[in-house]
């Protein structure tokens, strides 16, 4: 039986806006502003109306990439 966790493929970690804000050292409201005003900011995954999460790897990559 195959288990994705042991297959060598990294698991996708979905994080809420509060965690995104902590990683980027910004306010939670700024996360929402970035989403609207910065075209290169990672877009969240919305599964339900009140369930919005970002891929942690996308946020870390965006943070570590120089922004023009």
């Amino acid at each position: 039986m195959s288990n994705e966790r042991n297959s060598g493929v990294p698991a996708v970690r979905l994080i809420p806006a509060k965690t995104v804000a902590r990683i980027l050292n910004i306010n939670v409201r700024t996360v929402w502003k970035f989403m609207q005003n910065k075209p290169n900011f990672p877009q969240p995954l919305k599964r339900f109306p009140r369930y919005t999460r970002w891929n942690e790897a996308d946020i870390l990559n965006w943070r570590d990439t120089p922004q023009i």
Side-chain angles (χ1 to χ4, degrees), residues 11-62:
V12 173
R13 183 168 176 222
L14 300 177
I15 57 174
K18 186 175 183 178
T19 304
V20 172
R22 193 172 334 128
I23 289 171
L24 300 177
N25 197 29
I26 58 175
N27 188 292
V28 174
R29 292 181 80 184
T30 306
V31 172
W32 299 106
K33 289 180 183 179
F34 277 11
M35 194 176 79
Q36 294 175 350
N37 301 323
K38 293 190 179 280
N40 62 342
F41 190 72
Q43 291 300 304
L45 305 170
K46 291 180 126 316
R47 293 201 170 175
F48 306 104
R50 296 185 56 93
Y51 183 91
T52 302
R53 300 291 186 269
W54 282 261
N55 180 332
E56 183 182 41
D58 291 346
I59 295 298
L60 294 172
N61 185 39
W62 186 85

Side-chain angles (χ1 to χ4, degrees), residues 1-9:
M1 184 154 82
S2 175
N3 185 344
E4 288 183 15
R5 291 183 184 190
N6 295 330
S7 68
V9 177

